[in-house]
Amino acid sequence: MIRFRDVTKHYPRSGTALGEVSFHVRKGEFVFLTGPSGAGKTTVLRLVHMEIAPTKGDVMVSRFSSSRIRRREIPQLRRRVGFVFQDFRLLERFTAEENVAFVLQVTGASRSEIKPKVHRLLDHVGLAPRATAYPNELSGGERQRVAIARALATDPLVLLADEPTGNLDERASIGVFELVRRVNGLGTAVIFATHDATLLRRYQDVRVLELERGRLVYDSGTDAAVRPPLRRAPGAPIFELLDEKAAASRAGEGAGPTA
Amino acid sequence: MRPFREALTSLVRHPVLAVLSVTSIGLSLFVVGLFGLTAHNIASALSNVEEKVEIVAYLSDEIGEARVRLTRSEIGSFPEVLSVRYVSKTEALYNASRELTEFSDVFPDLDVNPLPASLEIRLRAGHRGPEAVSAVASRISAYDFVEDVRFGRDWVNRIHTLRRIAGGAAVILGGSFALVAMLLVGTTVRMSIHARSSEIAIMENVGATAGFIQRPFLVEGLMTGLLGGILALALTYGAYRLLDRAVLEVLWMPDGWTLAGILTGGLLGMLAAGRSVRRELRSLYAI
């Protein structure tokens, strides 16, 4: 569904951000995109979102190709690609439900369908009781949940998450990650950019794409043998918590992690 | 409906800016309005004067009455000519004695009437310009029994120069003020765009169409312009009443002009907004 073919992105000032990267993400797949800061993770996500065009190569998202897409088709693409940011980017003057409703309003949903859908989305991310709270009244984890609900409002085929747990403490990070896993379990593909080693260690079943200085150096989906599998650090409290959440999630939805 | 609601919200959210913007466009158009009022009054005075523009052809004494009748109907059939009036020698003398009262004693004592008979020719509207008047006059002077033709050439020229100056000044002054008003509305719209930049970023992020994002700002410009136009109309009407009552009799502008003034305000506002939208949102969905 998302295919990078020899994609190079060159910026006039800062040089090459991405060099000849090729990979394919299938429908409903969950992929970790990892690598140190400046490796090109955000560039990959922005290419999928078609905020930028590749200098060379082609990015294909659903039926849209970066080399052929027209300006007026980009809104259609964006409705199929949800985006979650590290800094949430919620509108501070709107409540949680208004933030989600805003997306539906601006993408042309009818008034009668907005209210029930907002309620369902907030319920889905576990924030129905906080629907009328303003962003500054919510914790970091809660804000990211609102942002996820907002990103899901247009029923995207893929959810792009750019370091969504980067501003959160461990507990909140796990909660947000579990939520994204549940979203994936319902059929939405996910590209989860992170350099949080604990998450990577914990979820070894998840495909990992690793970037380094703009090059794709590791793809566990195709060459997992290139380097030994990551091992979880035993006994760390964070994992117990995660296991509990995962178990609860599996029991509730049948779509939790398989670790 | 949404663009109007958004535009109204935006105007209400920045009331100082909105009032400033409407007032400035209002004041700018008020100057144009005052000028329009002046121009209309000049034009109406000019057309009153112009209606009086006539050609007088003095006839030779030898011409017979039948010939006069024929010539009169010939000249009357010129497309430029509105009417031809024959003034006989007797009537000319009578008019002269009535108008020149200081000589009234002299006239009855004259043995011979020294005044010639004449044809007074009035022209249709649209043919009272200097060239048309000259052309008709020279055709009339071609008749051999016409001894002289008078039509106040300089006077006709001067009226027309005055009208051209009035028109030119209207265009220059009106244009300059419209430009100032547009810059102000453009700035207001730009500030609205900046104030809503985070919302615009999210709209772009989730796939609102470019038109959907741009429309409220265009409507904001339109509304600012229309409100400014209405304010200008109110101010101009106030000035008219004041002038009419206190100074001299003034004509109010035709309804078409006032409507055109308000619509011009709206159009200027929308054009200015369009320019700001194009500049500020140029990168919308550009990859």
Side-chain angles (χ1 to χ4, degrees), chain B:
Chain B
M1 231 13 246
R2 173 198 154 264
F4 286 92
R5 211 175 44 239
E6 293 279 326
L8 212 62
T9 310
S10 183
L11 289 173
V12 171
R13 204 183 295 155
H14 310 286
V16 178
L17 205 62
V19 167
L20 209 67
S21 180
V22 169
T23 310
S24 56
I25 200 167
L27 286 177
S28 307
L29 287 174
F30 171 50
V31 175
V32 178
L34 277 185
F35 203 86
L37 200 61
T38 314
H40 178 60
N41 278 278
I42 288 182
S44 121
L46 281 183
S47 76
N48 283 341
V49 171
E50 270 192 350
E51 266 175 32
K52 297 196 177 86
V53 170
E54 56 186 26
I55 300 169
V56 183
Y58 294 101
L59 308 175
S60 127
D61 284 352
E62 279 86 55
I63 183 175
E65 210 173 289
R67 193 75 195 280
V68 167
R69 223 177 293 127
L70 187 69
T71 311
R72 211 180 128 181
S73 75
E74 258 178 43
I75 294 174
S77 68
F78 289 4
E80 300 93 335
V81 171
L82 180 70
S83 65
V84 182
R85 200 170 82 83
Y86 174 66
V87 181
S88 67
K89 286 172 71 75
T90 320
E91 195 181 341
L93 189 65
Y94 171 73
N95 286 345
S97 67
R98 214 182 47 176
E99 281 169 23
L100 308 169
T101 46
E102 54 271 41
F103 297 109
S104 56
D105 296 340
V106 181
F107 289 118
D109 300 337
L110 291 170
D111 293 333
V112 182
N113 180 353
L115 298 178
S118 63
L119 291 173
E120 287 180 3
I121 298 138
R122 300 184 74 179
L123 300 176
R124 290 181 194 279
H127 297 284
R128 291 174 189 151
E131 290 87 22
V133 175
S134 285
V136 175
S138 72
R139 278 168 76 188
I140 292 167
S141 62
Y143 288 99
D144 55 2
F145 51 83
V146 170
E147 296 203 318
D148 195 10
V149 176
R150 300 258 170 100
F151 60 92
R153 192 193 307 263
D154 291 347
W155 198 51
V156 170
N157 282 338
R158 240 176 281 139
I159 288 174
H160 279 269
T161 310
L162 200 63
R163 181 174 242 186
R164 268 203 300 278
I165 290 171
V171 169
I172 291 167
L173 267 184
S176 326
F177 278 102
L179 206 68
V180 172
M182 279 180 79
L183 287 175
L184 285 162
V185 175
T187 307
T188 310
V189 169
R190 267 169 97 157
M191 288 175 86
S192 301
I193 293 174
H194 285 295
R196 296 190 59 203
S197 59
S198 49
E199 281 170 46
I200 292 170
I202 290 166
M203 286 194 255
E204 195 182 357
N205 194 52
V206 300
T209 61
F212 184 92
I213 297 173
Q214 293 166 348
R215 228 167 283 137
F217 300 111
L218 297 178
V219 172
E220 187 182 334
L222 176 75
M223 279 163 74
T224 309
L226 287 177
L227 287 174
I230 291 167
L231 177 68
L233 174 65
L235 290 172
T236 312
Y237 189 73
Y240 151 73
R241 290 299 297 266
L242 207 69
L243 278 175
D244 194 47
R245 197 177 309 163
V247 190
L248 70 166
E249 202 176 299
V250 182
L251 288 173
W252 178 240
M253 291 182 282
D255 287 349
W257 286 30
T258 58
L259 188 68
I262 295 173
L263 291 180
T264 303
L267 185 73
L268 290 180
M270 204 152 83
L271 285 176
R275 190 164 164 273
S276 295
V277 163
R278 265 199 310 282
R279 277 189 161 191
E280 297 295 320
L281 302 176
R282 191 185 302 159
S283 60
L284 210 58
Y285 294 122
I287 63 167

